[in-house]
Amino acid sequence: MAKQKLTREEALAFHLEPTPGKFEITATVPMTTQRDLSLAYSPGVAVPCEEIAEHPELAYDYTNKGNLVAVISNGTAVLGLGNLGALASKPVMEGKAVLFKRFADVNSIDIELDTEDPEAFINAVKLMGPTFGGINLEDIKAPECFIIEQQLKEVMDIPVFHDDQHGTAVICAAGLINALYLSGKKIEDVRIVLNGAGAAGIACLELLKSMGAKHDNCIMCDTKGVIYQGRTEGMNQWKSAHAASTSLRSLDEAMAGADVFLGVSAKGAVTQDMVASMADNPVIFAMANPDPEITPEEAHAVRPDAIVATGRSDYPNQVNNVLGFPYLFRGALDVHARAINDEMKIACAEALARLAREDVPDEVAMAYGQKLSFGRDYIIPTPFDPRLIYTIPPAVARAGMQTGAARRPIVDMDAYEVSLKSRMDPTASILRGINARARNAQARMIFAEGDDPRVLRAAVQYQRSGLGKALVVGRDSDVKEKLEAAGLGDAVRELEIVNAAKTDRLDEYKEFLYKRLQRKGFDRHDIHRLAARDRHVFSALMLAHGHGDGLVTGATRKSAHVLELINHVFDADAHHGAAGVTALLHKGRIVLIADTLVHEWPDEEDLANIATRAAGVARHLGLEPRVAFVSFSTFGYPRSERAEKMHRAPKVLEARGVDFEFEGEMTVDVALNPAAQENYPFQRLTGPANILVVPARHSASISVKLMQEMAGATVIGPILSGVDQSIQICSSNFTSNDILNMAVLAACKVG
Ligand SMILES: NC(=O)C1=CN([C@@H]2O[C@H](COP(=O)(O)OP(=O)(O)OC[C@H]3O[C@@H](n4cnc5c(N)ncnc54)[C@H](OP(=O)(O)O)[C@@H]3O)[C@@H](O)[C@H]2O)C=CC1
Ligand SMILES: CC(=O)C(=O)O
Ligand SMILES: [Mg+2]
């Protein structure tokens, strides 16, 4: 897994744009008319109020309580950064809230309470009970967190769950089950050293002991060293419960001969010497965030036989509670649970451990750009594994039902799993998939317009995200100046700047271009002007000569003009079968529109070619193509000369015998809406179309721009397909993120 460099400015920009913070709240009901207002608010709202007053359980039906979790902190133990206070903890809490939404479709809101007094904290949370279906406590330091959680559990009738304790313990247990399996050791026999006797540490050791780890085999350490029986300094009742009868006093001493090291303490707390002194095949979970107790590189340098995990996303084996809390709450909320009990936590740990041992399906491999299989570098599922949402919550819900925590048991578990699957947003996995493939490809990407700040930001991002090498075409001083103005001055040393005026390859490029254009009215002088002065042509020449693996251009000029220039070097035109395909991503759906770039007014043969190109792009994105030739008529009615070619195009494909579904002509609603399709029982699409082949470039442009402006759809493309080399042409209104997306598409040769 390529390590990504994240700068402070990137992290700040991510939180600043497009609006401050990481989420907003949207209404799920129409709020347009007088009638809507009367229903949502007074007088209509009185009816559910009265119903709930009489039958409190109806709050789960008439309000968002049943799918709403509060992430609550006082900021006293923010990750491993220490006591930053309530306000400064907000980015982490907003982060947890968006993880709830992204991974388990749980609505969540962060609440930061400005108090270090457990009693004040407890009172505040207790009073919030009616609002939420569950309370996720976060980053509250020990020992106050134990008191707070215990008392809230006693007084509240919804799950109260301190994530840093139990979320961490569950994931740690899941990872350890598999790590021990791989190293051939049993939990009853292993010597465990745990560093960090706080929220996470105490809960991890408690859970492992309940799973068979022997008290006498476990040593817990804190900032004062080993917690031994009789120690008085820095102690509390929770630490005392794990005090060992031992003469060992320091972490250093404890590590000698240990089988397992678990770190929930602080950055750099473990040295290479300590790791070197561990037993054979040691297990090292360095879980402190954002920086681990020891990095995997450092640990492996002295112990190649170690199985190493961290809490971070950029190393293999991410042992992080993100794998737990979204799914634990999903399962708990879906049975209207009163609590998340130990049985539910253990069910979660076991289900996670089992999932990692299963064969990894292609969709997961595609999302990560590598084949994952159970082993030392894959002991726990990856956070983006789409199976988590339909595997873990049922296990949790079942345990909740068996132990009486559930208020409303699930009757049909199969139907429940199907409903969980439908909560997944397929567009997210597509975007992740192409990013992972690009990262694997490590393409040298030519960014032709090095004088544009958006292009420069995209180029820097491309390289810093570990996608490959960015080659920026421009004048050195100009690029440097613009990078500095964009606050990216230090990127000058990272990017490769290619200046057409200075390259010694120009003669070779000019010769090539002259051969192509000499019979098209271009003389040597024209050729020099094009090759040396036009960055689109120069960049295309670089690509044609293998001096880059892909090209992104077009952010500063009209696409049609840029395409014309590219065509001096490549055959990227309608005549040679090129086509433009634009992906529209909206509300969890992805629809491709074609041709958005090359053909002005395609005939039925062209339309069939365009469909085939679009089907190729769809498959590259991981979609099984279903093409609809769209028009204003459906299967011949109303009759119109303009719709004729759309009527004939499917027949062309039929004659060719292609290997994808297609149908037409039809209106867009018939193409996209299964209910409308039912009116045409003879039609051959097995589901809503995901490719719309439109009659002409103007209708393509109108559809895409309408979706973008009116619906706020995400637009990727036009993706240039059917050209020998990987070229992507941006639009002049693209943001740096859009340009980066085009570079990613070019890198994984979608097209
Ligand atoms: N990967 C994951 O999913 C998770 C990771 N964590 C990480 O675990 C760490 C602790 O979090 P949490 O338990 O909530 O915090 P707490 O404040 O509750 O506990 C911190 C504990 O770590 C000990 N400690 C701190 N620095 C050192 C050190 N250099 N050597 C030994 N012990 C040390 C403290 O010792 P003392 O008692 O002497 O002060 C205390 O016992 C953080 O880095 C956090 O990011 C937490 C939750 C989840
Ligand atoms: C992951 C997490 O919750 C922490 O580090 O605090
Ligand atoms: Mg935390």
Side-chain angles (χ1 to χ4, degrees):
M1 200 177 294
K3 206 144 179 302
Q4 295 183 33
K5 181 180 171 191
L6 286 182
T7 61
R8 286 185 77 83
E9 73 227 355
E10 274 176 292
L12 292 178
F14 187 86
H15 286 80
L16 183 67
E17 292 159 4
T19 51
K22 291 198 283 270
F23 70 89
E24 63 180 12
I25 289 176
T26 49
T28 53
V29 291
M31 283 300 300
T32 329
T33 62
Q34 180 68 38
R35 184 168 182 276
D36 298 337
L37 192 57
S38 304
L39 286 167
Y41 192 44
S42 182
V45 73
V47 183
C49 291
E50 284 164 353
E51 291 285 321
I52 294 167
E54 206 164 318
H55 305 286
E57 68 281 7
L58 290 179
Y60 285 90
D61 296 317
Y62 298 131
T63 75
N64 62 15
K65 176 182 173 79
N67 198 29
L68 188 61
V69 167
V71 175
I72 310 185
S73 183
N74 60 359
T76 48
V78 183
L79 308 176
L81 304 172
N83 186 347
L84 301 186
L87 184 61
S89 77
K90 188 164 165 60
V92 174
M93 305 314 134
E94 285 187 6
K96 293 273 175 179
V98 292
L99 296 179
F100 263 119
K101 185 68 189 173
R102 166 62 186 84
F103 290 116
D105 198 20
V106 170
N107 295 318
S108 174
I109 185 157
D110 62 298
I111 293 171
E112 292 74 26
L113 297 177
D114 190 9
T115 177
E116 292 191 18
D117 172 10
E119 206 174 320
F121 192 102
I122 291 163
N123 278 333
V125 178
K126 186 173 74 181
L127 298 174
M128 290 177 204
T131 309
F132 299 102
I135 303 288
N136 183 85
L137 301 172
E138 190 69 46
D139 290 1
I140 306 165
K141 80 173 184 60
E144 292 81 353
C145 64
F146 303 124
I147 300 162
I148 289 172
E149 190 198 41
Q150 189 50 42
Q151 291 197 17
L152 284 174
K153 276 173 139 171
E154 283 163 17
V155 295
M156 296 186 84
D157 65 349
I158 52 173
V160 177
F161 177 88
H162 184 199
D163 179 36
D164 297 282
Q165 293 182 54
H166 315 297
T168 318
V170 163
I171 312 311
C172 176
L176 195 61
I177 291 170
N178 284 344
L180 292 179
Y181 174 90
L182 286 168
S183 53
K185 299 180 185 180
K186 290 206 174 73
I187 194 161
E188 299 79 18
D189 305 331
V190 286
R191 269 200 55 210
I192 299 175
V193 174
L194 181 140
N195 202 43
I202 300 273
C204 284
L205 211 50
E206 259 164 28
L207 187 63
L208 296 181
K209 285 181 181 172
S210 79
M211 289 167 58
K214 296 268 165 47
H215 176 84
D216 289 341
N217 288 342
C218 299
I219 302 278
M220 179 179 258
C221 301
D222 61 10
T223 53
K224 311 277 183 308
V226 170
I227 295 176
Y228 57 90
Q229 282 178 10
R231 197 184 102 171
T232 52
E233 202 190 353
M235 291 295 285
N236 59 45
Q237 66 182 88
W238 296 273
K239 290 183 185 180
S240 294
H242 296 284
S245 165
T246 177
S247 58
L248 301 169
R249 290 296 176 263
S250 66
L251 176 63
D252 200 0
E253 291 169 10
M255 287 286 271
D259 299 289
V260 176
F261 168 78
L262 304 175
V264 270
S265 50
K267 174 182 180 175
V270 170
T271 64
Q272 285 184 313
D273 285 348
M274 294 181 193
V275 168
S277 73
M278 291 178 77
D280 284 350
N281 291 317
V283 175
I284 300 167
F285 288 3
M287 295 176 279
N289 286 314
D291 297 299
E293 282 77 1
I294 187 164
T295 66
E297 290 95 335
E298 289 163 341
H300 279 135
V302 289
R303 291 305 296 265
D305 58 338
I307 295 177
V308 186
T310 70
R312 297 168 59 120
S313 319
D314 51 358
Y315 288 113
N317 297 334
Q318 184 178 16
V319 174
N320 189 303
N321 50 32
V322 65
L323 282 172
F325 65 83
Y327 311 106
L328 276 160
F329 272 95
R330 180 75 276 151
L333 290 171
D334 290 338
V335 294
H336 299 181
R338 287 184 189 84
I340 293 175
N341 59 29
D342 286 351
E343 289 80 0
M344 292 158 87
K345 292 175 212 159
I346 291 172
C348 177
E350 285 173 350
L352 280 168
R354 256 196 320 273
L355 189 62
R357 294 197 297 268
E358 278 176 19
D359 209 22
V360 182
D362 287 347
E363 55 181 330
V364 181
M366 217 170 113
Y368 278 84
Q370 68 189 88
K371 189 78 190 147
L372 300 166
S373 61
F374 182 56
R376 310 173 78 82
D377 280 339
Y378 177 65
I379 57 168
I380 189 130
T382 53
F384 284 118
D385 190 326
R387 296 171 299 172
L388 289 164
I389 180 66
Y390 59 86
T391 313
I392 313 302
V396 174
R398 226 177 256 119
M401 280 148 52
Q402 283 159 2
T403 52
R407 283 196 189 90
R408 194 202 60 175
I410 292 168
V411 184
D412 184 343
M413 267 291 168
D414 292 340
Y416 177 49
E417 282 180 31
V418 171
S419 76
L420 288 169
K421 277 183 190 160
S422 71
R423 287 185 183 270
M424 288 299 294
D425 176 351
T427 61
S429 67
I430 285 171
L431 290 179
R432 243 186 4 264
I434 56 174
N435 267 284
R437 272 163 44 211
R439 193 162 290 125
N440 253 7
Q442 289 296 304
R444 292 163 305 155
M445 191 55 54
I446 306 166
F447 292 84
E449 297 151 308
D451 59 337
D452 186 284
R454 294 165 303 155
V455 173
L456 287 174
R457 275 204 300 276
V460 172
Q461 189 93 37
Y462 180 82
Q463 188 151 314
R464 287 190 176 168
S465 307
L467 292 159
K469 177 96 195 123
L471 313 175
V472 172
V473 175
R475 280 186 294 111
D476 309 59
S477 56
D478 188 40
V479 171
K480 185 165 182 283
E481 204 175 288
K482 291 200 165 118
L483 281 171
E484 270 163 11
L488 293 167
D490 55 347
V492 178
R493 288 183 299 280
E494 298 166 30
L495 302 177
E496 185 173 330
I497 303 168
V498 186
N499 185 340
K502 286 193 186 161
T503 176
D504 48 17
R505 294 166 177 162
L506 200 56
D507 286 342
E508 187 188 353
Y509 291 176
K510 287 199 294 195
E511 214 34 55
F512 173 92
L513 200 58
Y514 187 61
K515 280 205 185 102
R516 272 184 69 89
L517 301 183
Q518 59 193 353
R519 289 173 188 276
K520 292 186 181 168
F522 290 79
D523 62 20
R524 290 263 180 205
H525 179 73
D526 300 325
I527 295 298
H528 175 77
R529 199 171 31 78
L530 278 175
R533 303 221 189 105
D534 189 286
R535 58 226 159 124
H536 309 287
V537 176
F538 176 78
S539 304
L541 284 163
M542 278 178 73
L543 182 65
H545 286 80
H547 299 142
D549 304 312
L551 165 63
V552 178
T553 185
T556 58
R557 301 292 297 269
K558 292 242 180 311
S559 335
H561 178 68
V562 173
L563 192 60
E564 230 169 77
L565 291 165
I566 299 281
N567 265 304
H568 290 324
V569 181
F570 292 104
D571 297 322
D573 53 22
H575 180 65
H576 290 89
V581 182
T582 297
L584 289 176
L585 281 66
H586 188 56
K587 292 196 172 166
R589 270 177 96 162
I590 177 160
V591 173
L592 308 184
I593 310 242
D595 178 348
T596 46
L597 186 63
V598 180
H599 294 80
E600 186 87 32
W601 179 254
D603 63 20
E604 58 262 37
E605 291 287 333
D606 296 329
L607 288 165
N609 293 342
I610 292 167
T612 307
R613 290 278 173 230
V617 170
R619 286 205 168 121
H620 251 104
L621 296 176
L623 298 167
E624 197 39 44
R626 284 190 297 273
V627 174
F629 290 92
V630 290
S631 180
F632 57 86
S633 59
T634 302
F635 299 118
Y637 184 82
R639 283 196 80 82
S640 155
E641 194 192 323
R642 295 249 122 182
E644 264 305 302
K645 61 176 187 172
M646 305 313 286
H647 191 72
R648 288 196 299 265
K651 296 189 171 54
V652 177
L653 283 184
E654 244 170 80
R656 289 186 192 172
V658 293
D659 66 347
F660 55 86
E661 289 180 29
F662 56 90
E663 193 51 284
E665 94 288 7
M666 56 177 66
T667 52
V668 169
D669 56 330
V670 178
L672 297 181
N673 186 337
Q677 277 177 3
E678 278 172 19
N679 295 328
Y680 303 91
F682 56 87
Q683 71 87 25
R684 297 166 291 183
L685 296 180
T686 57
N690 50 21
I691 297 173
L692 304 181
V693 176
V694 296
R697 215 171 87 209
H698 51 60
S699 36
S701 166
I702 292 166
S703 337
V704 169
K705 295 209 157 79
L706 201 58
M707 279 299 291
Q708 191 169 25
E709 292 303 321
M710 297 292 293
T714 301
V715 172
I716 300 183
I719 300 164
L720 181 59
S721 165
V723 183
D724 288 346
Q725 296 274 7
S726 204
I727 305 171
Q728 295 305 338
I729 298 177
C730 306
S731 295
S732 48
N733 64 349
F734 271 20
T735 63
S736 64
N737 208 40
D738 297 330
I739 298 167
L740 179 65
N741 277 339
M742 295 305 267
V744 167
L745 290 169
C748 51
K749 301 197 188 306
V750 175

